[in-house]
Every structure is written in C-alpha cells, then in structure tokens.
Amino acid sequence: VSEKIRIEEVARVAGVSPTTVSRVINKIPTVTEENRIKVESAIRKLNFKPNILAQRLAKGRADNIALVIPRYEGIFFSFYANQIIRGVGVACESLKLDLLLHLSSERNFIDVNSVGGVLFADVISNNEELKNVLSSDVPCIVMNHRFNKDANVDFIAIDNKKGAKEAVDYLIHLGHKNIAHITGNMITQSAQERIEGYKLALQENNIPVKEGLIIKGDYSRPSARRAMVTLLKIKPLPTAIFVGCDDMAQEVTSVLLENGLKVPDDVSIVGFDDNPICLAGSVALTTVRQPLVEMAAKAASLLNKMILSKTAKTSTKTILATDLIIRDSCRQI
Amino acid sequence: VSEKIRIEEVARVAGVSPTTVSRVINKIPTVTEENRIKVESAIRKLNFKPNILAQRLAKGRADNIALVIPRYEGIFFSFYANQIIRGVGVACESLKLDLLLHLSSERNFIDVNSVGGVLFADVISNNEELKNVLSSDVPCIVMNHRFNKDANVDFIAIDNKKGAKEAVDYLIHLGHKNIAHITGNMITQSAQERIEGYKLALQENNIPVKEGLIIKGDYSRPSARRAMVTLLKIKPLPTAIFVGCDDMAQEVTSVLLENGLKVPDDVSIVGFDDNPICLAGSVALTTVRQPLVEMAAKAASLLNKMILSKTAKTSTKTILATDLIIRDSCRQI
DNA sequence: ATGAAAGCGCTAACAG
DNA sequence: CTGTTAGCGCTTTCAT
C-alpha cells in the first residue's frame, strides 16, 4: 500500500545526492559518518527499499542461482532431492543469493539469461539442458555426476563406488560370502557406480560375482519389496544384502520380518544415505553416509565464487568421500 | 561465450526499429507479417535472448513468485513439503513464472520487493514473516492454514478435520470402539485439526474420548515408533489406530508386526496423505487422500491471477475436500 | 503499422 | 568524500 519511493526521494530528504544514497545502500566505505546517518534515517523514515530489479540491471549481476532438478519419477520422494534442496537453500541464504527452483522438463530449458549461475542436482535425462547451459557463459556446477576431463564440466560428486565397496568389504570381513545387491535406479550414475563398487569388493576378495544376486530396484520402497520377494526365492538365501538406499533397506527389513527372518540374525543389511530413518526401524541400520547437504552447500559456495570472479575460469572437479556408519543390522558369520 | 547482443542490434539487422523488435518479442499483434518474419529471422541469426532483468524493470513486473517453506525440524523429510514443491514447481512452469524457494528463518525475511507474489507452504513459526508480507502490497496466499475472517489473509487449505472425522467414522462403522490416535506434529494446524476430527467422530457416536489413547507424534517415523511402543502397553490394546500420516502408519505397522501383531487382523490402521508408500508395505494402507499437488497448483494459479489483476482485491478462502481411500488395513470387528 | 524519445530505478565512471 | 552524467536493456506512450 506504499507509494513507490525511489532513491531520489531519499536523497532529497537526506540532503545528499542519489549517488551517496546508493553508496550507503551498498555499504561503500567512502561516506562520511554524518552523511551515512542522515541517509539511514531518511531511509527508515520513508521506509525505503531499493528496487532489486533496477539494482540487478545496473549492476549486471543477478544475485541468484538456479537449482535444476531432474524430473524423473520418484525424484520427489527421494531423500536425495530433499537433502540437496535443503543444502542449497540454506547455503543460498547465507550467501545472500536468491534460489530459483527449476524442475527440468524436455521443453522448457532454464533461461540462462536471468540467472547468475546454475546448479544441477544430478543429470539424468536432461543432458540437452546441461549442454544449453554449458554453451553459455553462465557458471555451472553439476552435483553427483562425474564427467571425464574432456567434457569440461565442473562437478562435485560423491564417491559412490568407493562407498559401496567399503560397505561390501565390511560385509566380507564379517565373513559373508553370499552377498546380494539391490540396486538404485539404473538411470542414475550413482546406482551404476554402486554396482561397480559391489562387484569390485567381491572380485578383490575372490568371490565370484553372480548376476542373479543383483536385483534391480529404483530407489523406491515398492521396488525394494519386489526385489526382496525375488531374492527370497534364491536358495541358499544370501546371508547379506547391500541395498541401494536406506529407504529400500528398511523396506527389505520389513519384508524379511514378514517372512519370519530377522535382521541381522538371519540376514545382514547395509543401506546407503544415512537417512534419519535408519534409526527408526526395528534395527538401527548400518549404512554408508554420503555428505549430501555438505555437497550441496559446497556447490553453492563454489558457484558463487565462480560468479564473483567472472575472469578466472576455475576448474572444479571434486569427489567427496563417504563414511561407513556401523550400527546393528549386520552380524559376524 | 556469446557477445552481449541487444535489441538494438537485432533491429539493425532486421532493418526496423527497436520498438518493432520489442513488439515481436512481446507478441503484440500490430506488426506486419513481413516485418515479423524479418525480426524473427534476425533473432534466430543473432541467437538473441532478451535480457529478462531489463524486461522486468521496464515492465514493472517480476514474473516470479516465492515459495516460502517453514523451517522446522523434519520438514525436509515430509511428504507434505515434497508435494507442495512439486505442485508449485510444475504450475510455475506452465504459468511461465520463475519460482523462488525461500527457506524460512528468523532473521532473513523474504524480500517483498523482488517478487511478484508470495506463497506460504503452511505457517508454523514464521508468523512474523507472513505479517511482513501482508503489510506490503504484494499478493500472498497461504497454503494449508486457515485464518479467521478478520485476519484478512487469503488461504487455500485442506479440510483436515473432516478428513480425520471420516476416517474415524469409517473405523467406527466397522465396529471399532477402542480407537487410538497417533498425532502429527502439534505445532502444525493440520495435526490439531485431525485431533479435532478424531474426537468429533467419537463424540458423535457416543464413544468417550480417552486422552490416554491420543499419543503425540511429530509426523516422523521414529516418533511413530515411540508412540506405538507406548500404545502397546495399554490394555486392552486398541483395535484400531488412526495415524497422523502414512509414513507413521507404515512404521506403526512394522512395530506391530515385530510384536507378533498383524494388520488388519489384530489392529486396523488408517493413515493420512495417500503417499505412494501406502502400496509398499505388507498391507495396502487405507488412508485419507489429501490433494496436496492440486492445492499447490491451485494456489500458484490463483496467486498469478492476483498478480495480473493488481486492481481487484479478490478474496480467496478455499477449503479442499479429502477422500477416504479404502484398502486393506482395516477389518470389520 | 511504425519509430523517436522518454522512462523503469539504480549504479558506476569521472570529475571536482 | 561527493555530485554530475551516463548508462544497464527493454518497454511504452505519443506522434506520424
């Protein structure tokens, strides 16, 4: 309900030039204490708020970044997306960046013109959109997806393969040899890398990889249930299962329980994520913690740096380590 | 890597004035077919993209809305937040609105100046922020929170009370009399209304409300587990439980199972949400479906209308109905 | 139907 | 340290 009041009016009231007002707004130090106070009180008196659109146009900076979320079935139920949104959201607040949320779709690419930088929360079926951004001069970082050198795209990812390997190594060291794996959604790189880690651990320990013990899931609970039902038919039943994410791991535990099998007594389970629900089920779940929120925060702050130092084309290729969190869902055999 | 090319350059190439180019961009009909084609090909040739910041400043419209998410523990693991983000996100895409995500915090209120409108995904502890927005002339709609008339705030909410009542009515009609309730987070209005609905159904059927059968949860699985453990000590064990959300309902089902109790044979369960996981557990969960995505989409489109018709101060107070979805988790008694 | 010119509200270079 | 003068890139009267 307030009249549009502009910097000019503030200047008049304070008895200075618009420039000086602008200086105060932008905290440019070269302003007399006296003038600063006059301007500040005028601002307060008039309840003046600078027009951000005008500021941005004049500065040539958008002060915002876009987070593009790949839109595949189930992304909205994933722990992953939640954590990324949270991490980026909180980081943006402290970086004083507006956060634009863009749900990827085939038709509407994000408008590179209106954002200072772009963060991709993984790249699934939106490769074209990524290319589009890369071909512009807008800074861009991809999360949780590695690219090879010549792709020349900055990324910050989790070491899924190593994380998976450590989980399976742990199982092996507990004496397990008949270890199954329920995968995540194979359209994601993370699921692919976790399979690799699983296989690698087996191979390094001279345990033959049996494709029949690798059941495809998609990170959802229903898929985990289906996978477990399939697994249940295998004789002898694996003594341990490395599951693609904690949500699925919990569902697997339930299915086992429904069939009179206990975790870890009958079957040992390791999940992935370190989702808080690990502590919710009947057994505290041993899992591979991946620093999702940290990754997101780091991505945001790196992107911010790239935006500010337009000149230096820094190259960001970061891989974050995971942690095996040992709880109660695995037993020595 | 492209040089900044402006509307002026396009005009020169097309052999028309910048104004005409602008008209083409904005699809203003009064342009010769011939000129339009010239301009369009010039745009394509130069790969010109209008500077959105300049457009917005000139138009005086932001073409964006902010979604503010209350930041309380667990919001990021909630089905609710996911659905709202999805609904608003998809709606914004088709409305051609940029979506700003703002995680509410005590210190940083959203900047009313830079957005065309504001959507609140519930109001929890961010009343001050809401007031701040309301005192501006920026259109604003609150989701899932009802206000009384004189508060003069537009909202679009779910009829939680009625939804809860119907769920409990259903249980009663199946013959249940000893019905417990595990609540959601009591700092939310939805949880409060669901309790009311629960009590109302009991009262209308002359079943005394026992406070001991109302166990506080917070919408999280761990809280549901704790609540169920508490409930398990009550003799006689309730024959039915109305649970505050599906996630909790599923956890309750697990706890029951771990204790040798089957759903629905021993205990009937009704959830709330119609989360896809309803179909994942050992029994398909009977639940109260709330149209979250629709609510979000509607809120976005309503807000957009308010933004476009700056003049007419429409009053939006919408309550959306729920649906009882009957599956397999309740039995006749 | 089209173009010239005047903003939108602020910042930045340049004098002083 | 401060003010003047140009823009930032586009839209929009207002003539023509």
Side-chain angles (χ1 to χ4, degrees), chain A residues 290-303:
Chain A
Q290 51 174 344
L292 256 22
V293 168
E294 294 86 330
M295 175 178 79
K298 199 161 190 168
S301 112
L302 241 38
L303 187 65

Side-chain angles (χ1 to χ4, degrees), chain B residues 261-329:
Chain B
L261 266 10
K262 294 198 96 175
V263 174
D265 311 50
D266 300 303
V267 180
S268 292
I269 302 282
V270 181
F272 209 107
D273 270 349
D274 198 23
N275 187 322
I277 61 159
C278 285
L279 300 169
S282 52
V283 262
L285 196 63
T286 291
T287 192
V288 180
R289 174 179 139 70
Q290 50 174 344
L292 256 22
V293 169
E294 293 87 330
M295 175 178 79
K298 200 162 190 168
S301 111
L302 242 38
L303 187 65
N304 189 232
K305 281 202 189 99
M306 290 165 71
I307 293 172
L308 295 180
S309 68
K310 275 268 180 189
T311 47
K313 195 79 172 178
T314 58
S315 173
T316 307
K317 324 247 179 218
T318 309
I319 305 288
L320 265 27
T322 57
D323 277 315
L324 182 66
I325 310 285
I326 297 179
R327 299 205 179 91
D328 313 327
S329 61

Side-chain angles (χ1 to χ4, degrees), chain A residues 294-316:
Chain A
E294 294 86 330
M295 175 178 79
K298 199 161 190 168
S301 112
L302 241 38
L303 187 65
N304 189 232
K305 282 202 189 99
M306 290 166 72
I307 293 171
L308 295 181
S309 68
K310 274 268 181 189
T311 48
K313 196 77 172 179
T314 57
S315 174
T316 308

Side-chain angles (χ1 to χ4, degrees), chain B residues 224-237:
Chain B
R225 176 163 291 266
R226 283 191 299 272
M228 192 59 230
V229 167
T230 303
L231 228 35
L232 241 17
K233 294 178 191 137
I234 293 178
K235 305 293 167 196
L237 189 66

Side-chain angles (χ1 to χ4, degrees), chain B residues 188-253:
Chain B
T188 67
Q189 196 184 50
S190 58
Q192 294 164 21
E193 291 184 353
R194 288 174 201 173
I195 288 194
E196 287 176 30
Y198 161 81
K199 289 183 176 172
L200 185 59
L202 258 31
Q203 285 160 358
E204 284 192 358
N205 288 278
N206 297 314
I207 300 175
V209 172
K210 295 181 192 152
E211 291 295 336
L213 291 184
I214 301 177
I215 317 285
K216 302 276 193 289
D218 64 8
Y219 287 132
S220 78
R221 282 175 181 261
S223 78
R225 176 163 291 266
R226 283 191 299 272
M228 192 59 230
V229 167
T230 303
L231 228 35
L232 241 17
K233 294 178 191 137
I234 293 178
K235 305 293 167 196
L237 189 66
T239 60
I241 310 174
F242 167 52
V243 188
C245 73
D246 290 336
D247 262 316
M248 293 203 296
Q250 211 181 46
E251 189 73 14
V252 162
T253 306

Side-chain angles (χ1 to χ4, degrees), chain A residues 94-152:
Chain A
S94 61
L95 294 171
K96 300 199 175 309
L97 249 30
D98 274 359
L99 173 57
L100 246 63
L101 197 67
H102 182 83
L103 308 184
S104 201
S105 79
E106 308 205 357
R107 301 169 305 151
N108 282 338
F109 286 175
I110 188 167
D111 185 344
V112 171
N113 248 309
S114 61
V115 296
V118 181
L119 240 36
F120 278 83
D122 212 333
V123 176
I124 308 284
S125 52
N126 51 345
N127 259 297
E128 285 305 315
E129 187 168 22
L130 174 59
K131 270 184 202 153
N132 188 250
V133 175
L134 290 175
S135 71
S136 75
D137 54 352
V138 173
C140 167
I141 295 181
V142 174
M143 286 180 275
N144 210 14
H145 209 282
R146 317 156 81 134
F147 294 83
N148 53 31
K149 291 255 175 183
D150 32 305
N152 194 31

Side-chain angles (χ1 to χ4, degrees), chain B residues 14-311:
Chain B
V16 296
S17 75
T19 313
T20 297
V21 177
S22 170
R23 288 194 179 101
V24 172
I25 293 171
N26 293 288
K27 304 200 197 309
I28 290 170
T30 73
V31 177
T32 339
E33 177 75 6
E34 187 192 335
N35 272 341
R36 221 200 56 226
I37 293 182
K38 281 197 288 189
V39 170
E40 281 173 348
S41 81
I43 288 180
R44 218 168 307 117
K45 183 168 159 192
L46 297 171
N47 191 26
F48 167 76
K49 304 254 188 260
N51 179 315
I52 300 207
L53 264 32
Q55 284 183 317
R56 287 180 179 169
L57 178 59
K59 284 185 179 160
R61 278 194 293 114
D63 286 331
N64 66 12
I65 64 173
L67 172 60
V68 358
I69 311 256
R71 182 149 67 187
Y72 74 88
E73 203 52 48
I75 186 79
F76 283 101
F77 307 111
S78 70
F79 180 69
Y80 179 75
N82 287 332
Q83 294 292 90
I84 296 298
I85 291 176
R86 175 150 73 123
V88 174
V90 171
C92 280
E93 185 188 333
S94 61
L95 294 170
K96 298 199 178 309
L97 249 30
D98 272 359
L99 172 57
L100 246 64
L101 197 67
H102 181 84
L103 309 183
S104 201
S105 78
E106 308 205 357
R107 301 169 305 150
N108 282 339
F109 286 176
I110 188 167
D111 185 345
V112 172
N113 247 309
S114 61
V115 296
V118 181
L119 241 35
F120 278 84
D122 212 335
V123 175
I124 307 284
S125 51
N126 52 344
N127 259 296
E128 286 305 315
E129 187 168 23
L130 174 59
K131 270 185 202 152
N132 187 250
V133 174
L134 291 176
S135 71
S136 75
D137 55 350
V138 173
C140 168
I141 295 181
V142 174
M143 286 180 276
N144 211 13
H145 210 282
R146 316 156 81 134
F147 294 83
N148 53 31
K149 292 254 174 181
D150 33 304
N152 194 31
V153 12
D154 292 328
F155 62 83
I156 172 166
I158 302 289
D159 200 339
N160 285 293
K161 184 170 174 180
K162 193 169 170 208
K165 181 174 178 302
E166 283 173 3
V168 179
D169 273 341
Y170 169 67
L171 255 12
I172 293 173
H173 290 152
L174 286 180
H176 295 276
K177 288 184 166 23
N178 190 9
I179 304 171
H181 175 39
I182 297 177
T183 78
N185 194 323
M186 293 304 292
I187 63 174
T188 67
Q189 196 184 50
S190 58
Q192 294 164 21
E193 291 184 353
R194 288 174 201 173
I195 288 194
E196 287 176 30
Y198 161 81
K199 289 183 176 172
L200 185 59
L202 258 31
Q203 285 160 358
E204 284 192 358
N205 288 278
N206 297 314
I207 300 175
V209 172
K210 295 181 192 152
E211 291 295 336
L213 291 184
I214 301 177
I215 317 285
K216 302 276 193 289
D218 64 8
Y219 287 132
S220 78
R221 282 175 181 261
S223 78
R225 176 163 291 266
R226 283 191 299 272
M228 192 59 230
V229 167
T230 303
L231 228 35
L232 241 17
K233 294 178 191 137
I234 293 178
K235 305 293 167 196
L237 189 66
T239 60
I241 310 174
F242 167 52
V243 188
C245 73
D246 290 336
D247 262 316
M248 293 203 296
Q250 211 181 46
E251 189 73 14
V252 162
T253 306
S254 296
V255 175
L256 252 9
L257 211 66
E258 292 160 24
N259 284 274
L261 266 10
K262 294 198 96 175
V263 174
D265 311 50
D266 300 303
V267 180
S268 292
I269 302 282
V270 181
F272 209 107
D273 270 349
D274 198 23
N275 187 322
I277 61 159
C278 285
L279 300 169
S282 52
V283 262
L285 196 63
T286 291
T287 192
V288 180
R289 174 179 139 70
Q290 50 174 344
L292 256 22
V293 169
E294 293 87 330
M295 175 178 79
K298 200 162 190 168
S301 111
L302 242 38
L303 187 65
N304 189 232
K305 281 202 189 99
M306 290 165 71
I307 293 172
L308 295 180
S309 68
K310 275 268 180 189
T311 47

